[in-house]
Amino acid sequence: MALHRIYSCLLLLLLLLFSPHTLIRCGALRNYPENEVTLLDSMSTPGDLGWETYPAEGWEEISVMDERNTPMRTYQVCNVMEPNQNNWLRTGLISRGGAQRIYVELKFTLRDCNSLPGMSGTCKETFNVYYHESNSGTAPPLRHARESQYVKVDTIAADESFTQTDVGDRVMKLNTEVRDIGGLTKRGLYLAFQDLGACIALVSVRVFYKRCPMVALNLARFANTVTGGDSALVEVRGACVEDAEELEPPRMFCSADGGWLVPIGSCVCKSGFEEADGRCQPCRSGFYKASAMDAYCVKCPPHSSSQQTQASECVCERGFYRAETDPGSMACTRPPSAPGNPTSMVNETAVTLEWSPPRDTGGRGDVTYSIHCKKCLGTSRSGGPGERCVPCGSGPRFSPRQLGLTQTRVLVTDLQPRTNYTFSIEAQNGVSDLSPGPRHLVSINVTTSQTVSVIVKERRSKDSITLAWQAPEPSDGTVVEYEVTYYEKNQRDQNYTVLKTKSTSMTVEGLKPGTTYVFRVRARTEGGYGNYGGEIELETSHEDVLAVGDPNQQTILAVSIAGGVVFFVLLVACFVVSGRHCGYIKAKQEPEEEKLQFQHGRVQLPGSRTYIHPHTYEDPNQAVRDFAKEIDVSSIRIERVIGAGEFGEVCSGRLRLPSRREIHVAIKSLKAGYSDQQRRDFLSEASIMGQFDHPNIIRLEGVVTRCKPVMIITEYMENGSLDTFLKKHDGQFTVIQLVGMMRGIAAGVQYLSEMNYVHRDLAARNILVNGNLVCKVSDFGLSRVLEDDPEAAYTTRGGKIPIRWTAPEAIAYRKFTSASDVWSYGIVMWEVISYGERPYWEMSNQDVIKAIDEGYRLPAPMDCPVVLHQLMLDCWEKNRGERPKFNQIVSALDRLIRNPSSLKQLANGTVWEDTTTPESDVSTVEDWLDSIKMGQYKDHFSNAGYVTLNAVLYVSISDLGKMGIALAGHQKKILSSIQSLQLQQNPHVQV
Ligand code: ACK
């Protein structure tokens, strides 16, 4: 016993020998990541740690010096020679700082038992970590430590244990392991370390929690946020920075690993401020920003200025104005000058005034004109001395109007004859009313002349009327002639007749009997025509008026009807022609729609196979007969239930068809009490699946429809659906294996798209995985495709859509195409790389739609090669025409598989590090295992049949388990080396 103790002490000394070397490097690198808040760091604790130990001869606190000769404290134990070790070490109370989940980072060295001669089973290579939560600051004494009092965190094994040779070579084998402890509720906790007989130096213990560090984004500040207790996201409201206001409430999500995700909404700088370096800065003088929605301050417009900084508008110079409706960006303007060159043309008691626009419009385009009218009575002409002028009042009529004229012309009628008028024309614009200055007018004087006085009827007969009128009073000009105009009442627009005479009466002949005519008379003097002296309606006397309608009119009617019919026929023809034309153009623009038409019409494109929609069959049973083989129920043996579908159970079983070997199958059955519609929908999946034949599409074996229950039989996929499979094997595949899965799915959907089939519900849950990791697309059907999907949500337009997987155009207006399948495929890629993580985590569907619309895209999952994330982003192009086609996706993935080193560059900016540095020239499994110091597993590999390096490239973590390699550290090391082998070269790798 004493001998054992001495030997252990010797080993401990060996640990100490090279601990300082380690500590120097650890100590020098003590910079914590920004998103980690350290609660305890044994290396930064000054003086003794003074942790409690039990028993006394167990863990021991040791001082070592770092490179700056600062003493550092570590705990070591090395009772490897003595059996039944149970050595406890416990920290003081560690306050949890409000976090519900904390992380424990342990740095330690561990002695390889194999390198200690004669250890006969007492030596261990692991230790246990426990914790105890406490409000009071007391912990159960270690002397009586029981598992019910301390909760076990994990058993810790070393990735790197060291040997005697390592000690001699002073090769450092420092292990770092991190474990998390969730669901904490009490004030603090104690950590305890249990050694059962290993040789350990616990170099450093650091306890921290994660938070999303304070950031400013989109002019909003997000405070330090402690991450959620479970893996859920914490939604955080941002506060706008100074002088900014909310455009849409800024929000972000703090992820469990301390990263910010999915910014939604933003702030904008208030009016008078603009964004610079993530802050809002005031506009300089001479500049302004009118609205928060404007991006930047801009120079004041002409004739305005801002004397102060942070101006939201510029003030107009003297004499310049801004109308109420003028935007702030418009130059300040002034009233226009007076119009120019007024002219008049008098016609008896009417006058036409014309003028030219003002020389200066005041800088505006909204110049209008108003006419001011004055009537002057007196001896002298037009406004001269001795004349009395008064406003015209409401007598004269202005055409088109008196105020707000937009043309430079107006007709004034109903003036008094032989009267002097003064018309003043004023130009105005949008700021005229704002200017206190005098108005700018131009005036013109006008004198009116004479009108023929009232007409009277003298005589009438069946075909003539005699009129008489009085000559106008003597005026400036003598009457040259009179003009008599007449037309048949109500026919004015069609036909009127003008007659001339020098006399003051006239007989108009050739009129229709019993018909009313309208007559007007005006005089012409040397100065032009006067006004008409009113109208008179006169009727010729009656005679034999035709009883039936005018034959001409009948003809017109007949022609109209015939014309109408012809017109209608033409209209219909045009409509048909234009309809076809539109259809053609649309088909050209939307090749997918063109395809759809073909598929519904069951037209096969030459040289290609096209999927036939079961709805194109009048009898859906015929579609089932055409595409699915009827299987005799006696060939099927049901073994067990493996799940539940919408229509009934899913079972696994065996199918033995005559003269074929028995195969493993999945059997979906239709539960009792179904309706006809349900039966049709259920079987529609078979009539769709039965048309496909591709290694990455689930294969239909047949259907049972002649007896109950109705069944669909497909090939059996040992590993079930991809999402559950990935979650179950988190982190256990090499990136090449993951790319291989993606490639298979892409090849399957490429085949579907070539068959013109749009899946609409691509998601990891609808992909099945067989025993060889081959992924196959499943879940075909009609209405049930989405009804069946628990992820599908009702949209505002009705109908269910799996929002997180669906392209925006399909959500917004149901534009489902192969391009929208590409979008969903990108999401499936993300699911694969993140091992079944839920896309957009716990965000609500509404938030997802909004974030996508604002341009947000899912970030690269952990350890995701940059090329794969880029391919995902390409699949998520907003414009569906810019997304890659499935054949391009398959080729891209093939290139990656052929050239795995292109996967080394990770999206987080780092490069895949091969930590195991296998010999580059290894050619056998034995050499390879030796090169990574795992030679002890040679027999495990050869017994399991892995005799070539190529075969090793397929090994998964579950294979290692099956071989009997159980230590987590060793599994990790071997898999990581396999990944290196794959990534470094191997063009022959095929998954
Ligand atoms: O994730 P899972 O194990 O895989 O649970 C679901 C369940 O049935 C309901 O759909 C499983 N499943 C469906 N089709 C098959 C199949 N062809 N082979 C194996 N499992 C299947 C699916």
Side-chain angles (χ1 to χ4, degrees):
M1 181 68 183
L3 199 66
H4 284 173
R5 188 84 194 134
I6 291 166
Y7 187 56
S8 296
C9 286
L10 207 63
L11 293 170
L12 197 57
L13 205 64
L14 287 176
L15 282 173
L16 290 176
L17 262 175
F18 65 132
S19 289
H21 183 67
T22 317
L23 293 178
I24 288 163
R25 282 201 272 129
C26 297
L29 291 175
R30 227 52 191 171
N31 275 339
Y32 307 127
E34 207 194 354
N35 63 349
E36 294 178 2
V37 179
T38 300
L39 300 168
L40 165 83
D41 184 352
S42 65
M43 291 185 66
S44 325
T45 310
D48 288 356
L49 291 168
W51 293 350
E52 197 173 325
T53 59
Y54 183 85
E57 60 280 8
W59 292 92
E60 205 174 339
E61 183 167 356
I62 313 277
S63 254
V64 290
M65 296 296 175
D66 73 1
E67 62 182 351
R68 277 169 266 136
N69 270 346
T70 313
M72 308 189 73
R73 312 294 292 173
T74 68
Y75 279 92
Q76 308 198 1
V77 62
C78 196
N79 299 345
V80 285
M81 301 293 289
E82 295 152 59
N84 304 326
Q85 290 298 307
N86 189 8
N87 303 311
W88 286 80
L89 166 68
R90 193 187 64 210
T91 67
L93 182 73
I94 305 163
S95 160
R96 72 181 165 96
Q100 292 165 25
R101 175 174 299 273
I102 58 137
Y103 297 80
V104 181
E105 180 199 76
L106 304 172
K107 288 184 189 287
F108 61 96
T109 58
L110 202 127
R111 184 73 197 238
D112 182 349
C113 288
N114 287 340
S115 72
L116 300 172
M119 279 304 108
S120 65
T122 52
C123 174
K124 301 282 183 311
E125 287 187 1
T126 58
F127 62 99
N128 297 324
V129 181
Y130 292 84
Y131 73 97
H132 172 81
E133 272 200 274
S134 163
N135 279 328
S136 58
T138 55
L142 291 180
R143 182 184 300 272
H144 313 294
R146 284 196 315 274
E147 296 214 348
S148 57
Q149 298 161 325
Y150 286 87
V151 183
K152 183 164 175 182
V153 180
D154 204 357
T155 296
I156 308 288
D159 284 346
E160 305 271 2
S161 48
F162 66 90
T163 62
Q164 187 71 42
T165 338
D166 296 326
V167 175
D169 297 348
R170 295 185 70 82
V171 178
M172 204 48 243
K173 296 286 178 71
L174 186 71
N175 296 281
T176 304
E177 294 288 334
V178 180
R179 295 292 182 274
D180 61 326
I181 305 174
L184 297 175
T185 50
K186 297 194 177 162
R187 186 160 70 90
L189 77 161
Y190 294 86
L191 281 180
F193 305 93
Q194 183 194 31
D195 162 57
L196 298 171
C199 193
I200 318 158
L202 195 52
V203 174
S204 135
V205 177
R206 186 165 80 91
V207 181
F208 59 92
Y209 66 84
K210 291 192 181 178
R211 64 159 181 207
C212 296
M214 190 179 82
V215 282
L217 191 78
N218 297 337
L219 292 177
R221 245 192 295 275
F222 294 86
N224 284 324
T225 304
V226 179
T227 56
D230 45 27
S231 61
L233 304 180
V234 180
E235 185 175 337
V236 183
R237 253 316 268 273
C240 292
V241 300
E242 214 177 317
D243 298 315
E245 62 188 39
E246 281 185 4
L247 179 61
E248 199 188 326
R251 288 182 289 146
M252 269 216 281
F253 295 87
C254 175
S255 71
D257 60 1
W260 289 107
L261 294 169
V262 204
I264 301 177
S266 62
C267 300
V268 285
C269 289
K270 289 179 185 163
S271 58
F273 291 84
E274 66 184 347
E275 184 180 350
D277 304 329
R279 290 183 300 133
C280 291
Q281 313 233 330
C283 298
R284 286 174 287 150
S285 78
F287 286 73
Y288 80 107
K289 195 181 98 170
S291 149
M293 299 307 292
D294 298 333
Y296 297 107
C297 302
V298 288
K299 237 176 140 63
C300 285
H303 304 296
S304 70
S305 61
S306 64
Q307 305 304 332
Q308 310 276 312
T309 58
Q310 38 176 290
S312 57
E313 62 173 6
C314 298
V315 182
C316 291
E317 288 167 13
R318 262 175 80 100
F320 285 84
Y321 309 92
R322 190 170 279 135
E324 217 171 287
T325 52
D326 286 354
S329 56
M330 194 174 134
C332 291
T333 53
R334 59 182 170 189
S337 60
N341 312 320
T343 59
S344 66
M345 215 171 71
V346 181
N347 207 340
E348 294 279 332
T349 53
V351 62
T352 304
L353 302 173
E354 281 191 56
W355 58 92
S356 57
R359 254 181 306 104
D360 176 10
T361 59
R364 306 182 63 92
D366 58 352
V367 175
T368 58
Y369 306 95
S370 296
I371 315 293
H372 307 280
C373 173
K374 277 190 192 157
K375 191 163 66 178
C376 301
L377 308 165
T379 47
S380 73
R381 294 213 37 166
S382 306
E387 202 175 41
R388 200 164 50 83
C389 296
V390 291
C392 300
S394 59
R397 292 227 309 259
F398 293 81
S399 175
R401 72 191 81 84
Q402 183 175 6
L403 306 174
L405 288 161
T406 49
Q407 305 136 339
T408 54
R409 187 174 206 271
V410 70
L411 171 68
V412 191
T413 55
D414 294 357
L415 296 171
Q416 288 173 356
R418 295 198 300 147
T419 308
N420 294 333
Y421 286 93
T422 300
F423 294 100
S424 301
I425 306 155
E426 182 188 1
Q428 290 166 318
N429 66 14
V431 293
S432 293
D433 290 343
L434 301 174
S435 164
R439 302 192 153 199
H440 302 292
L441 310 164
V442 64
S443 298
I444 185 167
N445 299 317
V446 168
T447 307
T448 52
S449 56
Q450 290 291 316
T451 310
V452 170
S453 61
V454 189
I455 320 165
V456 291
K457 176 186 79 172
E458 294 247 296
R459 268 194 318 273
R460 68 173 185 149
S461 72
K462 64 176 185 182
D463 59 359
S464 71
I465 288 176
T466 303
L467 305 165
W469 57 88
Q470 268 186 341
E473 285 184 22
S475 64
D476 300 315
T478 46
V479 174
V480 178
E481 63 182 357
Y482 295 99
E483 185 188 272
V484 177
T485 307
Y486 72 93
Y487 54 90
E488 211 177 303
K489 193 177 176 190
N490 306 327
Q491 304 266 318
R492 178 181 187 164
D493 297 336
Q494 306 224 335
N495 209 351
Y496 65 93
T497 310
V498 180
L499 301 172
K500 307 227 162 136
T501 178
K502 289 195 176 0
S503 125
T504 55
S505 69
M506 172 186 264
T507 299
V508 182
E509 295 176 321
L511 303 177
K512 291 185 210 159
T515 308
T516 305
Y517 290 87
V518 180
F519 295 89
R520 295 192 304 174
V521 181
R522 64 177 176 173
R524 182 164 75 85
T525 63
E526 280 143 352
Y529 281 104
N531 278 0
Y532 288 108
E535 289 179 345
I536 184 167
E537 290 183 13
L538 300 169
E539 192 183 357
T540 49
S541 54
H542 282 267
E543 220 203 36
D544 316 339
V545 175
L546 278 172
V548 251
D550 184 339
N552 288 342
Q553 288 201 355
Q554 283 180 343
T555 313
I556 290 168
L557 188 67
V559 168
S560 317
I561 292 170
V565 170
V566 170
F567 178 70
F568 180 72
V569 169
L570 279 175
L571 194 70
V572 170
C574 285
F575 184 73
V576 169
V577 169
S578 73
R580 278 200 182 166
H581 183 65
C582 293
Y584 174 68
I585 289 179
K586 200 164 178 201
K588 282 273 172 221
Q589 285 170 341
E590 306 288 354
E592 289 104 353
E593 283 183 3
E594 192 176 34
K595 279 186 203 168
L596 265 178
Q597 284 186 357
F598 276 119
Q599 87 191 33
H600 285 281
R602 301 179 60 196
V603 177
Q604 299 268 318
L605 294 174
S608 74
R609 284 196 56 213
T610 304
Y611 147 79
I612 297 169
H613 197 293
H615 273 176
T616 56
Y617 278 81
E618 252 168 50
D619 173 11
N621 293 323
Q622 186 55 44
V624 180
R625 284 194 289 274
D626 278 3
F627 298 121
K629 189 166 65 188
E630 181 72 29
I631 291 178
D632 194 301
V633 74
S634 63
S635 332
I636 301 164
R637 181 158 43 90
I638 294 178
E639 287 176 336
R640 64 191 175 90
V641 177
I642 54 172
E646 192 206 359
F647 293 97
E649 285 169 344
V650 184
C651 301
S652 74
R654 307 279 161 174
L655 171 70
R656 184 194 286 273
L657 291 172
S659 67
R660 293 251 309 264
R661 71 182 170 83
E662 188 176 80
I663 56 166
H664 204 171
V665 288
I667 303 149
K668 287 188 183 183
S669 49
L670 178 60
K671 58 183 169 240
Y674 53 81
S675 66
D676 275 1
Q677 182 61 43
Q678 280 173 319
R679 183 180 192 272
R680 273 197 295 276
D681 285 351
F682 176 72
L683 286 173
S684 72
E685 175 160 30
S687 34
I688 294 171
M689 219 190 302
Q691 299 182 47
F692 303 140
D693 179 15
H694 189 274
N696 296 102
I697 306 289
I698 194 86
R699 191 182 66 250
L700 176 74
E701 296 296 344
V703 289
V704 175
T705 61
R706 298 210 184 109
C707 60
K708 287 186 182 171
V710 173
M711 293 185 240
I712 296 177
I713 320 293
T714 64
E715 65 179 305
Y716 182 70
M717 302 291 283
E718 291 81 350
N719 282 312
S721 58
L722 179 61
D723 63 333
T724 358
F725 176 65
L726 287 170
K727 281 178 204 148
K728 209 158 87 196
H729 297 281
D730 192 355
Q732 297 180 0
F733 298 110
T734 63
V735 71
I736 290 285
Q737 284 173 311
L738 297 178
V739 174
M741 295 181 198
M742 292 181 210
R743 196 266 178 209
I745 302 165
V749 197
Q750 179 191 348
Y751 172 84
L752 294 180
S753 70
E754 284 165 0
M755 291 279 283
N756 294 328
Y757 179 82
V758 179
H759 190 286
R760 294 178 176 223
D761 199 10
L762 286 179
R765 64 185 168 279
N766 289 332
I767 307 290
L768 291 167
V769 188
N770 74 8
N772 297 324
L773 288 196
V774 176
C775 291
K776 306 199 181 197
V777 182
S778 81
D779 223 317
F780 304 94
L782 297 176
S783 58
R784 62 167 291 275
V785 168
L786 301 172
E787 295 301 323
D788 186 22
D789 187 342
E791 279 294 347
Y794 283 100
T795 63
T796 43
R797 303 189 59 198
K800 277 173 116 184
I801 286 183
I803 300 291
R804 286 153 211 273
W805 283 263
T806 305
E809 75 275 5
I811 297 175
Y813 51 98
R814 314 201 154 277
K815 185 79 195 163
F816 286 96
T817 59
S818 288
S820 62
D821 273 356
V822 168
W823 179 291
S824 315
Y825 175 78
I827 303 286
V828 175
M829 285 181 73
W830 191 91
E831 291 184 275
V832 171
I833 294 284
S834 60
Y835 285 93
E837 177 63 275
R838 180 168 165 75
Y840 311 97
W841 308 274
E842 302 314 317
M843 283 169 66
S844 71
N845 280 343
Q846 272 323 307
D847 281 350
V848 171
I849 293 173
K850 203 179 235 171
I852 291 298
D853 188 48
E854 290 178 6
Y856 172 81
R857 297 293 183 267
L858 281 168
M862 207 167 70
D863 293 339
C864 175
V866 70
V867 280
L868 290 180
H869 189 231
Q870 188 51 53
L871 188 53
M872 296 177 205
L873 293 173
D874 292 344
C875 294
W876 303 328
E877 273 292 340
K878 189 180 179 69
N879 178 350
R880 67 179 195 280
E882 286 173 24
R883 295 175 204 151
K885 306 283 174 290
F886 276 109
N887 61 341
Q888 295 169 320
I889 296 175
V890 172
S891 310
L893 295 175
D894 280 342
R895 274 197 300 279
L896 296 181
I897 294 171
R898 277 197 305 274
N899 178 19
S901 59
S902 52
L903 294 162
K904 279 186 164 184
Q905 179 74 46
L906 301 184
N908 64 8
T910 61
V911 176
W912 163 260
E913 279 300 339
D914 169 19
T915 47
T916 53
T917 59
E919 302 284 337
S920 52
D921 56 351
V922 292
S923 54
T924 65
V925 179
E926 286 78 19
D927 290 350
W928 163 64
L929 286 170
D930 281 338
S931 75
I932 58 169
K933 303 237 164 65
M934 289 285 126
Q936 67 266 40
Y937 296 122
K938 285 177 192 170
D939 287 347
H940 296 70
F941 271 79
S942 68
N943 292 343
Y946 295 101
V947 286
T948 65
L949 264 189
N950 238 17
V952 163
L953 294 167
Y954 297 89
V955 167
S956 68
I957 202 156
S958 59
D959 294 333
L960 293 179
K962 281 183 212 151
M963 283 183 221
I965 304 175
L967 275 181
H970 292 179
Q971 287 183 345
K972 221 166 97 185
K973 185 165 181 173
I974 294 170
L975 272 186
S976 153
S977 174
I978 291 176
Q979 169 127 323
S980 300
L981 281 178
Q982 291 178 342
L983 292 182
Q984 264 169 19
Q985 40 69 53
N986 212 326
H988 314 296
V989 177
Q990 294 288 327
V991 184

